[in-house]
Amino acid sequence: MPLLRPPLHHVCALGRPPVRALMNLRELVSALNDFASPALAESWDNVGLLVEPSPPHTVNTLFLTNDLTEEVMEEAVQKKADLVLSYHPPIFAPLKRVTWKTWKERLVVRALENRIGIYSPHTAYDAIPHGVNNWLTKGLGTCTSVPLHPSTAPSSPAEGTHRVEFCADAEHLDAVLSKIKDIPEISCLTTLPVRVEGEEQTRVSLNCSQKALLEVVALLSQNSLLYHKTEILLLQKPLLPHTGMGRLCTLSEPLSLSDTVERIKGHLGLPHVRLALGAGRTLESPVKKVALCAGSGSSVLKGTEADLYLTAVGQLFPMAQQCEGCLAFCRNCCPFSPLCVALQS
């Protein structure tokens, strides 16, 4: 959920004038997914291609908006848009029917009637290094920042939560492998001839789930020779650099709270923000660390120690009153607009 103002939208003709380039919808969706993988979005989110006209569908005009309302959809129709990229997904809960009864259903009807696709990136754009949260940090001046909730590589490891490796001699190998193959949720089973203490043996390696691990260990523990030669590795997905939800920013030099707020207002183009002062804090209190989240931030900012919390929803005001930090609430700004330039390129 980003920091909001009334719907912001841009119309982009793909390609550079005077050439008007057509692009297949699926190719364009692939390019959008490369720009910000949907796998980086929060688990509760609904991102990616939400409405797809029957193929083949070519895209000449891409319509960008922060929120796809009925009014914005009508403008997209008038502009002859082929695809709407809406930062917020207009569809969250599954639709049991598509009628003219609710506004979200009407959006789908109007989109399909006019052969307009709908794509939403939402929290995937929050997570990427060049995304919404990163843009918000630029309003603080010179600082270093790290994600509050780092993202992990979505495709590594491919299968299983654990790797089990052990050595077996020829006498026990076939029987053990036969039983292991009967255990569900086993993958990447490999064998390799090795020499252990001068004896010819076979090194067995496999990936398995947490549930399967219990069965594998129970099987191997029946033979003390196998069990004592067993190694169990936890497969952890590597962290992606500079990628994840929220940011914790450390300013190069401390600023007063009032100066920090002025910087934020200038960066966001706002005349004012709402501010909750923490216990014992004043407008002259120093700010060295800022925790921010392009959205409500209730789960992202929780447990983070900072001098100032920047969020988009005022429900976190009680948090500021219970800690030593302050909270700035910027409801009426839209950080999606800087990404329009990146998307056009």
Side-chain angles (χ1 to χ4, degrees), residues 41 61 64 66 69 120 123 132 151 161 173 188 190 201 272 315:
T61 302
L64 307 180
N66 197 60
T69 63
S120 175
T123 53
V132 177
S151 298
T161 60
L173 179 63
C188 304
T190 60
Q201 296 194 6
H272 64 271
Q315 68 189 33

Side-chain angles (χ1 to χ4, degrees), residues 1-5 44-45 65-67 86-89 92 120-123 125-126 132-133 136 293-297 311-313 329-337 339:
M1 299 180 183
L3 312 173
L4 297 177
R5 72 180 176 194
W44 48 261
D45 209 352
T65 183
N66 197 60
D67 292 279
S86 174
Y87 177 77
H88 283 115
F92 258 112
S120 175
H122 202 203
T123 53
Y125 277 13
D126 295 347
V132 177
N133 282 309
L136 288 173
C293 179
S296 69
T311 179
V313 178
F329 169 40
C330 308
R331 182 172 182 174
N332 294 319
C333 66
C334 176
F336 178 56
S337 53
L339 290 180

Side-chain angles (χ1 to χ4, degrees), residues 62-264:
L62 174 63
F63 192 95
L64 307 180
T65 183
N66 197 60
D67 292 279
L68 182 55
T69 63
E70 289 188 270
E71 292 77 9
V72 173
M73 173 58 79
E74 290 308 311
E75 183 176 349
V77 171
Q78 294 300 318
K79 299 291 187 182
K80 301 186 183 303
D82 305 297
L83 177 67
V84 172
L85 192 154
S86 174
Y87 177 77
H88 283 115
I91 304 172
F92 258 112
L95 297 176
K96 293 185 177 181
R97 58 185 57 82
V98 179
T99 69
W100 203 248
K101 186 175 182 179
T102 68
W103 71 271
K104 290 193 176 185
E105 293 176 62
R106 291 194 292 271
L107 283 179
V108 176
V109 172
R110 292 292 285 151
L112 293 176
E113 283 179 338
N114 292 276
R115 294 191 56 77
I116 299 174
I118 300 175
Y119 182 97
S120 175
H122 202 203
T123 53
Y125 277 13
D126 295 347
I128 56 178
H130 46 287
V132 177
N133 282 309
N134 186 68
W135 181 82
L136 288 173
T137 67
K138 298 183 183 299
L140 300 172
T142 305
C143 67
T144 58
S145 66
V146 294
L148 290 172
H149 290 200
S151 298
T152 56
S155 59
S156 176
E159 299 178 73
T161 60
H162 292 78
R163 175 169 297 157
V164 180
E165 297 183 350
F166 62 91
C167 289
D169 55 28
E171 179 182 354
H172 300 100
L173 179 63
D174 290 340
V176 171
L177 288 180
S178 177
K179 293 179 180 179
I180 284 178
K181 291 177 181 178
D182 290 335
I183 299 176
E185 301 179 11
I186 296 289
S187 61
C188 304
L189 178 62
T190 60
T191 58
L192 179 69
V194 294
R195 179 176 291 274
V196 179
E197 298 177 354
E199 297 183 4
E200 296 292 338
Q201 296 194 6
T202 299
R203 183 75 170 176
V204 179
S205 175
L206 60 92
N207 288 5
C208 63
S209 66
Q210 179 74 45
K211 179 182 178 181
L213 176 65
L214 299 177
E215 297 185 53
V216 173
V217 170
L219 172 63
L220 297 179
S221 63
Q222 297 174 10
N223 186 315
S224 59
L225 293 178
L226 295 177
Y227 188 70
H228 291 304
K229 297 177 182 178
T230 299
E231 297 178 4
I232 300 175
L233 305 174
L234 176 63
L235 299 177
Q236 293 182 322
K237 296 181 179 181
L239 298 180
L240 296 175
H242 315 298
T243 306
M245 299 301 165
R247 295 293 186 271
L248 179 62
C249 309
T250 303
L251 306 185
S252 58
E253 295 291 338
L255 292 174
S256 68
L257 177 58
S258 60
D259 288 343
T260 307
V261 170
E262 288 302 315
R263 284 191 178 186
I264 293 171

Side-chain angles (χ1 to χ4, degrees), residues 22-25 56-61 82-83 115:
L22 297 176
M23 194 171 188
N24 180 272
L25 174 62
H57 184 65
T58 55
V59 179
N60 181 58
T61 302
D82 305 297
L83 177 67
R115 294 191 56 77

Side-chain angles (χ1 to χ4, degrees), residues 22-32:
L22 297 176
M23 194 171 188
N24 180 272
L25 174 62
R26 293 182 179 178
E27 293 176 350
L28 179 55
V29 168
S30 178
L32 291 171

